[in-house]
Amino acid sequence: MVWRVGEIGADRLAAHGGTPVRETLLAYGRQEVLPGDIDAVCEVLRSDWLTTGPVVERFESAFAARVGARHAVSFSSGTAALHGAVFAAGLGDGDEAVTTPLTFCATANALLYQGATPRFADVDPEALLLDPERVRGALGARTRAIVAVDYAGHPAPLHELREIARDAGLVLIEDASHAPGALYHDAPVGSLADLTTFSFHPVKHVTTGEGGMVTTDSDEYAARLRRFRNHGIATSGRERQTGRWQYEMVDLGYNYRLTDVACALGLAQLERLPANLARRREIAARYASRLRDLPGLVLPAERDHARSAWHLYPVRLELERLATDRDELLAALRAEGIGANVHYRLVYQQPYYRERFGDLSGCAPVAEDAERRLVSLPMYHAMTDADVDDVERALRRVLGYFAR
Ligand SMILES: *Cc1c(COP(=O)(O)O)cnc(C)c1O
């Protein structure tokens, strides 16, 4: 019998009964909550306002300043923020918006909530961002918006997309859930699209448990967003307790408010965003130097004009050089204690979308090819160098075993 690398001794795959690289699973992303965060939350719990109070405004002002936008409007989740942005942009029944299929389904779902239809355009083969040429090709008579996504934390090609939006009279919405603190030609993400949305889910850079934000320079959009998250009512509950009691509901809105409790956590976390981004850059650089020579992997890269926020570290497998597929390799990594993940299953391949819009296979061949190869390696700012080295050891073992 012929022994292959990885079948004997300490190199045996954990999936085949070997000793795993790690005892406990290294998450692909997770929050960091420090004692100061907890103190800030407790202070609000002892105060008069658990929601619609002053800490909401403080968090919004601090966030707007951080991303260079005139307004920041908080929401109860990143998904609610997207819904708000689609509402503020005025999309409704029969309207269409061009977006990427390589995103979390919430990006496209927000269009459906308002009766609009997503049109999926393909991504570019290097950064996997919405390809401006494909966007142009997807425009139609009913197109009202472009919804770009800063995949993995790398800003979308915003100048090109803005130009397309301007020429065609469209609203540019940017789902920047992955990219707070990212820079595009030296400008912060959050200051570049008509409406930019963020998420504060625990795997994101800044967490409030659940939460989201929309930033905009438009007074009108900001006013619409504030009404939308508050049932469509023009005045806040706090204003009605101290001023006029009367209220007018002028839009069909929702209760999408973020609490003061959550905003206190967000404010404390936001202060650490610069350090958080710097640490993610270090981790990305360490991955790049450790994994560069590994056959079978294509590493994510940053373009000259951009500073990625490094939300994810998605590598692509050169399947032609491996005697396996992505799913088996991912399972082998998890057996080693490395919580690798996939971002994302293409939105139009989700059962709900297939049922509703039919089989769109082939409409984004670059994204489809990438989807088969993508593995997100662990990436979060509280990761240690030793964690990165564990990922390297696991990858060497697993790729060594499956090398052709
Ligand atoms: C996290 C995320 C969302 C949704 O945010 P929630 O806060 O979980 O609702 C939307 N789009 C993208 C790209 C995301 O990563």
Side-chain angles (χ1 to χ4, degrees):
M1 112 164 254
V2 180
W3 289 100
R4 297 176 56 184
V5 181
E7 282 182 6
I8 41 173
D11 263 349
R12 187 144 130 183
L13 295 189
H16 297 170
T19 309
V21 167
R22 291 175 66 98
E23 288 294 318
T24 54
L25 192 74
L26 178 66
Y28 88 87
R30 61 162 285 141
Q31 76 278 9
E32 180 194 55
V33 175
L34 298 184
D37 300 358
I38 295 168
D39 293 344
V41 168
C42 290
E43 198 179 311
V44 169
L45 288 172
R46 290 188 207 98
S47 79
D48 290 337
W49 298 96
L50 298 190
T51 190
T52 69
V55 182
V56 176
E57 284 150 43
R58 277 175 51 208
F59 182 41
E60 291 176 341
S61 306
F63 197 90
R66 174 72 66 194
V67 305
R70 289 193 54 217
H71 304 280
V73 182
S74 59
F75 279 81
S76 53
S77 70
T79 303
L82 277 162
H83 189 185
V86 170
F87 171 83
L91 271 72
D93 288 335
D95 290 339
E96 292 180 2
V98 179
T99 191
T100 167
L102 189 65
T103 184
F104 186 53
C105 47
T107 314
N109 292 352
L111 296 163
L112 301 184
Y113 296 158
Q114 286 303 107
T117 304
R119 289 277 165 243
F120 297 102
D122 209 350
V123 297
D124 77 84
E126 277 95 46
L128 307 180
L129 299 165
L130 203 49
D131 181 338
E133 279 318 302
R134 301 282 162 233
V135 171
R136 274 188 209 282
L139 299 180
R142 291 164 169 260
T143 311
R144 298 281 175 270
I146 298 169
V147 186
V149 174
D150 302 321
Y151 178 74
H154 194 294
L158 296 162
H159 286 169
E160 290 88 340
L161 295 174
R162 273 179 85 135
E163 198 178 298
I164 297 170
R166 181 166 16 85
D167 293 350
L170 312 176
V171 181
L172 178 60
I173 299 173
E174 181 183 359
D175 179 348
S177 297
H178 296 184
L183 298 178
Y184 180 79
H185 291 282
D186 296 327
V189 158
S191 68
L192 293 152
D194 296 308
L195 293 145
T196 308
T197 74
F198 297 88
S199 162
F200 305 131
H201 182 276
V203 298
K204 307 291 164 64
H205 296 69
V206 169
T207 190
T208 58
E210 299 281 0
M213 193 76 85
V214 185
T215 60
T216 181
D217 282 344
S218 154
D219 297 346
E220 192 192 323
Y221 284 155
R224 280 170 70 82
L225 290 163
R226 287 184 198 290
R227 285 200 302 273
F228 188 68
R229 68 153 181 214
N230 188 37
H231 311 279
I233 297 170
T235 52
S236 79
R238 186 147 59 113
E239 285 163 339
R240 291 197 302 279
Q241 284 195 30
T242 51
R244 292 172 77 231
W245 72 264
Q246 289 89 346
Y247 55 91
E248 280 85 45
M249 185 198 125
V250 296
D251 293 318
L252 181 60
Y254 293 76
N255 178 352
Y256 277 161
R257 295 184 303 257
L258 191 60
T259 65
D260 285 59
V261 180
C263 288
L265 180 56
L267 252 178
Q269 295 248 322
L270 187 62
E271 277 181 31
R272 299 201 300 278
L273 180 60
N276 173 336
L277 291 163
R279 177 62 189 148
R280 286 170 187 264
R281 293 194 77 72
E282 276 177 16
I283 294 168
R286 192 174 182 91
Y287 270 140
S289 74
R290 296 305 181 90
L291 305 180
R292 209 186 310 264
D293 68 316
L294 257 180
L297 282 189
V298 178
L299 306 181
E302 195 177 42
R303 291 189 173 153
D304 290 341
H305 63 255
R307 299 271 283 182
S308 175
W310 292 109
H311 166 56
L312 302 172
Y313 197 82
V315 299
R316 272 178 280 171
L317 304 175
E318 290 180 297
L319 294 170
E320 298 74 9
R321 304 174 71 169
L322 299 169
T324 185
D325 61 14
R326 188 268 317 278
D327 290 344
E328 188 183 19
L329 191 134
L330 190 138
L333 282 174
R334 287 195 176 173
E336 300 295 344
I338 306 303
N341 219 318
V342 177
H343 299 89
Y344 291 93
R345 182 169 176 181
L346 302 186
V347 176
Y348 61 75
Q349 306 287 27
Q350 291 290 352
Y352 178 85
Y353 278 81
R354 292 178 80 104
E355 173 81 13
R356 183 155 165 186
F357 299 104
D359 183 5
L360 296 176
S361 296
C363 87
V366 177
E368 286 177 19
D369 179 70
E371 196 273 345
R372 294 166 44 232
R373 301 167 183 274
L374 281 167
V375 175
S376 297
L377 302 182
M379 167 59 90
Y380 56 95
H381 56 286
M383 255 176 91
T384 64
D385 286 353
D387 292 334
V388 176
D389 298 348
D390 285 346
V391 178
E392 180 197 358
R393 274 202 292 149
L395 275 169
R396 285 194 186 278
R397 183 182 286 179
V398 169
L399 289 170
Y401 178 78
F402 288 116
R404 267 193 207 279

